[in-house]
């Protein structure tokens, strides 16, 4: 099955700096890569996603890049703000029979943005 | 549009007791998922429904866990009997398409087994 590794496990930045979180996946058939933000006591919230036919996607201060050859994808947050502090999860899914749509999550990154 | 609704939000029970969690997906979403999230880890899929059919329950511990989605709308996840190791957050998610990829999560039910 799919395996997703996420790094770093914790990330501390100053307000206004950029933050980068990286993930690698094992199954070359994976073709959908979402990123979720989870605040304390809440469920994961989708913040951005990318599909395998696109190399980069941007939404205001958030961007995701995908390198299918190397099987890794990254989340980039620019001009970080204290409200960006949360746990971020990457995930990957693949199509194939009854497993279609099954998300495999990384271990999470605790991002802390200091004012 | 209302999000995924889950209840209860918190549950404390003693081991060997039964417990049930309820989920109401976003209106019109055909696919419903139950995930388990242990502390400090990412969610892990337990079961996926397309309408009322369980199409992927390979990760569900069937000796003590059961789920149902009558009428293809809301769903219930049950544990009987609960064990200490079942303490975790149980998340429900839904997506708008059959075998859809974009999943929207509810707030979760935090279970503590004493």
């Amino acid at each position: 099955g799919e395996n997703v590794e996420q790094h770093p496990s914790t990330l501390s930045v100053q307000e206004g700096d950029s933050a980068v979180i990286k993930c690698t996946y094992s199954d070359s058939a994976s073709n959908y890569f979402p990123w979720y933000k989870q605040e304390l006591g809440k469920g994961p919230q989708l913040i951005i996603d990318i599909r395998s036919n696109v190399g980069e996607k941007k939404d205001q201060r958030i961007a995701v890049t995908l390198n299918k050859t190397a099987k890794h994808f990254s989340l980039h947050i620019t001009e970080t703000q204290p409200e960006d502090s949360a746990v971020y999860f990457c995930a990957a899914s693949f199509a194939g029979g009854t497993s279609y749509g099954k998300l495999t999550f990384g271990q999470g990154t605790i991002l802390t943005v200091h004012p | 549009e209302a999000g995924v609704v889950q209840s209860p939000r918190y549950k404390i029970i003693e081991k060997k007791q039964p417990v049930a969690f309820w989920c109401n997906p976003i209106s019109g979403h055909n696919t419903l998922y139950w995930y388990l999230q242990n502390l400090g880890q990412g969610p892990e899929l337990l079961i996926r429904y397309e309408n009322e059919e369980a199409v992927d329950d390979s990760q569900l511990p069937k000796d003590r866990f059961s789920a149902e989605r009558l009428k293809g709308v809301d769903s219930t996840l049950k544990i009987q009997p609960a064990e200490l190791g079942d303490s975790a957050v149980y998340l429900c998610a839904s997506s708008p398409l059959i075998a859809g990829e974009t999943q929207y999560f509810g707030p979760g039910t935090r279970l503590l087994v004493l």
Side-chain angles (χ1 to χ4, degrees):
Chain A
E2 175 67 279
N3 182 54
V4 178
E5 297 287 335
Q6 183 172 346
H7 300 279
S9 56
T10 61
L11 180 59
S12 182
V13 300
Q14 288 297 127
E15 183 177 0
D17 288 350
S18 295
V20 180
I21 303 171
K22 299 181 179 181
C23 289
T24 60
Y25 60 98
S26 61
D27 192 335
S28 56
S30 290
N31 54 14
Y32 176 64
F33 308 93
W35 285 89
Y36 286 86
K37 174 184 180 183
Q38 187 172 26
E39 297 176 315
L40 195 63
K42 297 183 179 180
Q45 177 189 7
L46 180 71
I47 56 172
I48 195 168
D49 56 13
I50 190 168
R51 300 180 189 276
S52 59
N53 59 344
V54 176
E56 183 174 357
K57 184 176 179 181
K58 188 174 181 179
D59 183 4
Q60 298 183 334
R61 297 186 296 110
I62 296 174
V64 57
T65 59
L66 171 64
N67 184 328
K68 280 194 65 75
T69 302
K71 290 190 286 187
H72 68 70
F73 55 112
S74 301
L75 177 71
H76 305 253
I77 306 175
T78 59
E79 301 174 17
T80 54
Q81 302 167 2
E83 50 265 40
D84 294 330
S85 296
V87 181
Y88 289 81
F89 291 97
C90 62
S93 72
F94 57 95
T98 58
S99 295
Y100 188 90
K102 176 180 177 179
L103 282 176
T104 300
F105 284 82
Q107 298 87 346
T109 296
I110 301 172
L111 173 64
T112 304
V113 180
H114 299 281
Chain B
E1 179 181 83
V4 176
V5 179
Q6 291 188 247
S7 68
R9 292 296 313 278
Y10 306 91
K11 190 72 176 180
I12 301 174
I13 62 172
E14 294 188 346
K15 62 180 180 182
K16 301 185 181 180
Q17 294 301 305
V19 64
F21 314 124
W22 176 81
C23 171
N24 188 261
I26 294 172
S27 179
H29 282 197
N30 304 92
T31 309
L32 183 147
Y33 311 78
W34 282 103
Y35 285 88
L36 167 69
Q37 186 175 27
N38 286 306
L39 187 64
Q41 298 183 24
E44 299 173 35
L45 182 69
L46 289 172
I47 189 168
R48 172 168 67 92
Y49 282 92
E50 290 185 4
N51 296 311
E52 65 275 9
E53 182 182 1
V55 296
D56 184 357
D57 63 355
S58 57
Q59 302 301 312
L60 190 71
K62 298 180 182 65
D63 57 335
R64 297 184 301 108
F65 286 65
S66 64
E68 61 182 12
R69 192 185 183 196
L70 301 176
K71 301 181 180 179
V73 180
D74 55 356
S75 176
T76 302
L77 177 68
K78 298 179 182 178
I79 308 175
Q80 182 172 9
E83 298 179 351
L84 296 177
D86 296 331
S87 296
V89 176
Y90 292 83
L91 293 163
C92 179
S94 68
S95 60
L97 301 172
I98 292 293
E101 295 163 325
T102 303
Q103 300 180 23
Y104 300 90
F105 284 81
T109 295
R110 281 153 182 76
L111 174 67
L112 178 60
V113 181
L114 302 175

